[in-house]
Amino acid sequence: MVKVLILRASGKIRPISINGVDIIQIPVIKITPNEDVINKISLEDANYIIIMSTTVVKYLGNALGKLGGSVRVIGVGPQTCNEVEKLGVKCEMPSEFSSYGIIEIMKKLPRGKVVILRSLRGNDYVKNELQRIGYDAVEYGIYDLTPDPISVDIACRLINYVDYVVFMSSMTYEAMKDCTKNVLKGKTAVAIGRVTANRMKNDGINALIPSEYTLNGILRVLINHLMISSESLD
């Protein structure tokens, strides 16, 4: 049976089933809320609010639910926007569910103040690009992401026995890179999007990337690759 190891953050594990595939999910990243920012943040003077994950919505649901209609909310992808819209707030999303897609949307909009809500560990690409093209952009780290040593150790042991390794964020790769760099060169790696794939490429690892940067996109890549691999053996 084909074995797939999916590396995620805590709280993100969902049941996944593919016929003939043994899927193992391990939460190698711990999420810790940044209480100081969550308790003090104000969103009232923003023209745009950019939300980079569903975790932001989890911790700022009350504040987001009070937004007026004059603020445009942009979520990085469908899961994030779904969570925002559960609060009764309209949410837009880019055609590419990534930081790059966010910038493409913002290039077409009137300039104003942008508040970016994300983790403390993300890169500054969105903020820097928005400032470069004329926005007043500020960002807040709503939560922190840190490796879970026990889960990382388990995943490092399992990685030798699986056929595919899926990284659901660049942080999951960072947590695992010390034990995966050499091992992955003999396996098929899958990255959730361009940011994660580019980080892996810096270490000489080429990863498959879905056309849609979501879990469903990941599963489609796995199924297609499995079908191609099966046909090549006939």
Side-chain angles (χ1 to χ4, degrees):
M1 180 177 284
V2 173
K3 298 185 185 311
V4 176
L5 176 61
I6 300 180
L7 303 170
R8 310 205 68 171
S10 61
K12 302 289 186 178
I13 305 298
R14 301 289 183 273
I16 302 173
S17 177
I18 300 176
N19 288 339
V21 179
D22 183 12
I23 296 178
I24 307 160
Q25 300 182 74
I26 298 182
V28 294
I29 300 297
K30 295 188 292 185
I31 299 175
T32 306
N34 186 355
E35 299 289 358
D36 288 342
V37 170
I38 291 170
N39 293 332
K40 296 176 183 177
I41 191 171
S42 174
L43 305 176
E44 294 176 359
D45 61 342
N47 302 110
Y48 305 95
I49 294 175
I50 294 175
I51 303 177
M52 297 302 294
S53 73
T54 57
T55 305
V56 167
V57 186
K58 174 183 176 181
Y59 293 125
L60 283 182
N62 288 337
L64 294 170
K66 296 175 183 177
L67 290 174
S70 62
V71 182
R72 292 181 72 164
V73 177
I74 299 170
V76 72
Q79 288 185 322
T80 299
C81 272
N82 285 343
E83 293 302 310
V84 171
E85 289 177 347
K86 288 177 183 178
L87 304 172
V89 177
K90 184 178 178 181
C91 182
E92 306 170 49
M93 60 186 173
S95 55
E96 178 182 321
F97 307 146
S98 70
S99 300
Y100 303 111
I102 291 285
I103 296 302
E104 289 305 308
I105 277 188
M106 298 303 293
K107 284 178 179 178
K108 304 170 187 175
L109 299 177
R111 301 311 187 245
K113 180 174 181 180
V114 184
V115 173
I116 305 157
L117 305 174
R118 45 166 266 196
S119 81
L120 284 164
R121 301 288 172 170
N123 61 54
D124 293 329
Y125 172 77
V126 172
K127 183 185 76 172
N128 292 342
E129 280 296 296
L130 289 177
Q131 290 176 341
R132 186 183 67 79
I133 62 178
Y135 283 95
D136 174 15
V138 295
E139 63 182 12
Y140 296 97
I142 305 303
Y143 57 96
D144 198 5
L145 299 170
T146 54
D148 182 329
I150 294 175
S151 295
V152 168
D153 182 62
I154 293 170
C156 284
R157 294 170 187 270
L158 280 174
I159 207 166
N160 293 292
Y161 305 101
V162 301
D163 304 289
Y164 293 82
V165 184
V166 178
F167 296 90
M168 295 299 288
S169 69
S170 56
M171 188 66 187
T172 58
Y173 175 71
E174 292 292 344
M176 296 286 296
K177 67 180 181 180
D178 289 341
C179 73
T180 60
K181 279 194 286 189
N182 293 325
V183 176
L184 283 178
K185 291 176 182 177
K187 300 181 183 296
T188 301
V190 186
I192 185 65
R194 276 202 283 165
V195 173
T196 304
N198 288 341
R199 174 63 191 88
M200 295 169 68
K201 195 169 185 178
N202 289 339
D203 288 337
I205 300 165
N206 293 316
L208 301 175
I209 311 173
S211 57
E212 178 184 286
Y213 300 168
T214 63
L215 178 59
N216 286 338
I218 289 284
L219 296 180
R220 282 194 287 270
V221 163
L222 287 171
I223 291 169
N224 290 339
H225 196 268
L226 285 167
M227 290 174 65
I228 293 170
S229 299
S230 176
E231 289 171 359
S232 66
L233 294 173
D234 291 341

